[in-house]
Amino acid sequence: QVQLVESGGGLVQAGGSLRLSCSFAGRTFSSYAMGWFRQAPGKEREFVAHISWSGSFTRYADSVKGRFTVSRDNAKNTVYLQMNSLKPEDTALYYCAARGGVRSVFTPATYDYWGQGTQVTVSS
């Protein structure tokens, strides 16, 4: 089975930066596409970013495009989310997710494995 563990969350001021990490264990990391999602209290879980098996394809939500960067290091079985120019509306629990195959949508239901999340809080 696949196990995912997020880390790197914390409290930052608006305009600051954080880098989240997601470690992968249990199967072949390079066979899985990886995604980042977030969920704020009272809101649905929303898509943030996605990266393909090789890292050659990435996708971002419009709300984070130009501020966040997703990357992966297959040798370390780790995916990253670099978050710059953070805003209070970025405050949420951030989840790492994994899926196999090729899909054209990036909804939570299309991902097979999930971590427990790491909290990001951005103060104004």
Side-chain angles (χ1 to χ4, degrees), residues 109-123:
T110 65
Y111 292 78
D112 302 308
Y113 306 103
W114 294 83
Q116 292 301 115
T118 185
Q119 179 67 38
V120 172
T121 302
V122 184
S123 62

Side-chain angles (χ1 to χ4, degrees), residues 24-71:
F24 177 106
R27 295 183 181 177
T28 304
F29 177 67
S30 60
S31 297
Y32 292 85
M34 305 294 295
W36 287 97
F37 291 77
R38 66 188 183 187
Q39 188 166 24
K43 301 186 69 176
E44 295 183 348
R45 189 168 300 187
E46 67 173 347
F47 170 76
V48 175
H50 177 94
I51 187 165
S52 64
W53 302 347
S54 66
S56 62
F57 172 84
T58 58
R59 173 85 73 173
Y60 298 93
D62 289 342
S63 60
V64 306
K65 192 174 298 181
R67 300 188 297 121
F68 291 11
T69 303
V70 63
S71 62

